[in-house]
Amino acid sequence: RELFRRANQLGRHLRRMGVTPGERVAVALAKGWEQVVAVLGVLHAGGAYLAVDPDLPEERQVYLLEHGEVTAALTSNGEALSARWPENVPVLAVDREGWEGAEGEPLAPVQSPSDLAYIVYTSGSTGQPKGVMIRHEAAWNTIADMNERFAIGPDDAVLALSALHFDLSVYDIFGMLVAGGTIVLPEPEASRDPRRWLELMQAHGVTLWNSVPALMAMLVEQAAGEKEALNLALRQVWLSGDWIPVTLPERIKELAEDVTVVSLGGATEASIWSVAYPIEEVDPAWESIPYGKPLANQTFRVLNERMEPCPVWVPGQLYIGGAGLADGYWKDEEKTAASFVTAPDTGERLYRTGDLGRYLPDGNLEFLGREDFQVKVRGYRIELGEIEAALIRHPAVKQAVAV
C-alpha cells in the first residue's frame, strides 16, 4: 500500500509535468526502494523509464539524457548530481518530503499494451550505446510466462542484485510485484558482497535467485568456504547472461535442498529471456549447458547465411521471434533495419542475435558462441568496437584494436 501510494504521488506529479505515453523519464538512482518507486511512478504517469547508472562517467550520463530526449530525471536528495547535466532536464528527488502532500489514489491508466514501457541502453560497436525500446505487452509476455511456469507467488522473495540498467531487473521488480512477492534489495555497497547476500537470504527467506552465473559462483564460494547452506527457503536459481560453468549446478544443489536450477537465455532486444532449460542431470562430457527451448509465444530459429533453416546438429545463426521482440533501437533506423529482419519463408519479424547455435535432436538449442566481436563482462554486453572507438578519440592514439 505504501509503495503504490508513493508511486501514485510521483506519477500524478509527472503527469502534471506533461509526461504522456511514449515520453521518456530518466531514473538515475542507486540500489534501493527509491528505484522501485521511481519506475512505478513513471509507468503510473503513462511514460517510459530510461535507467541511467549514477556511477557511469559523466560524459555517458549526459549522452543518455540527451540522446533519450528525456522529459525529466528522477534521483534522490542524497545523489550527487553532475553540474554538467543538460539544463533543460528537470531533476526531481524521489525521496523528498514534498510528495507526502500529493494525492496517492490510483491514477487511471492512459497507455495501451503497445506503448513504450522502458528503454535499456546496450553497448554499440560504433562507439555509442544503442537504446532498446520494449513495449508493455512484450515485457508482460515474458513475466507472465515465467511466473506461471515456475509457480511464482506471494510467498516468494527475490534477492534483487541486478542494476536497474540491466534488464534482469525488469523481472526482479515487476515479475515479483505482480505475483505479490517480496523484493529484497541489498545496500548499494553490498552489491558485490556475497557474505551480505547470505545474511539477507537467511533473514528474509529468499526463494528466488536471478543473476548472471558469475555472481552465483561468488555466493557458492562464500557459502562453501564457511560450510554454510545457502538457505532452506531457496527453491529457484535462474542463471542467464553468460556461459554457465558445467560444474556450477551441482555445487548449488550441494548447498541447497530441493532447488531447481534453470538456464535462461535471450537478448535485451527480446524482453529479458526467450529460452529456458531446467538443469537436472549434467553429463560430465558436456562442453556447455544446453540453451533450452523457446518460452511461450516466442520462437528461436537457426538459419544459415541465406536465411534458410538449418537441420538438426547443423550450426547456424540464432534469430529470435515472437511476442517479446523490441520495437527497435531508439532514434536509429539504420541499426534497427540491420538487426530486425523478416524471415523469407514465413514473413515473421526476427531479431538477429549475432549468436551461433544449433538444434539438438531432443528439441533443445545448443549455444556455440558469437559470430562477431561482442563479449560479456559479468553478463553485460560489451562491443569491442566501442572500446576501440574510445581509444582512437585520444589524440595520442593513431590506431587501436581490442580483443
Side-chain angles (χ1 to χ4, degrees), residues 303-348:
L303 306 177
N304 62 21
E305 294 83 357
R306 296 183 297 276
M307 291 197 71
E308 299 167 337
C310 294
V312 170
W313 288 119
V314 176
Q317 299 167 339
L318 296 183
Y319 292 78
I320 304 175
L325 285 194
D327 280 351
Y329 298 115
W330 171 250
K331 291 174 58 181
D332 200 327
E333 294 181 5
E334 185 177 343
K335 284 180 183 172
T336 298
S339 296
F340 294 86
V341 298
T342 302
D345 55 347
T346 63
E348 180 186 19

Side-chain angles (χ1 to χ4, degrees), residues 300 302 335:
F300 243 98
V302 182
K335 284 180 183 172

